[in-house]
């Protein structure tokens, strides 16, 4: 059980680093499409972190949050893609 906790902790740290990179890209990104992609990636990383926390804390209720977040993330991605496509015309 200790090895599993260590692997999950390392994965959470790596996801935190990925979130920092996504935040930097959202701020620096030269185009709106880069910013939208960075925000979408950051949301995905957050959902992955919540899923790992659900396993680490042995709380299956958090997986429901991940399921709902996935649906909201998909809808937000579609809406932001339409917004960026509308601006490029």
């Amino acid at each position: 059980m200790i090895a599993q906790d260590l692997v999950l902790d390392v994965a959470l740290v790596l996801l935190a680093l990925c979130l920092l990179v996504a935040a930097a890209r959202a701020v620096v990104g030269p185009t709106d499409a880069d910013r939208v992609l960075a925000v979408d990636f950051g949301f995905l990383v957050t959902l992955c972190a919540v899923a790992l926390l659900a396993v680490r804390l042995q709380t299956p209720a958090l997986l429901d949050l991940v399921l709902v977040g996935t649906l909201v993330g998909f809808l937000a991605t579609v809406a932001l893609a339409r917004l960026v496509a509308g601006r490029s015309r």
Side-chain angles (χ1 to χ4, degrees), residues 43-78:
F43 187 71
L44 176 71
V45 168
T46 303
L47 284 177
C48 290
V50 171
L52 285 176
L53 277 175
V55 173
R56 174 78 166 89
L57 301 175
Q58 298 176 354
T59 310
L62 287 177
L63 295 176
D64 294 337
L65 180 66
V66 172
L67 185 63
V68 171
T70 304
L71 177 62
V72 169
F74 172 73
L75 295 175
T77 300
V78 171

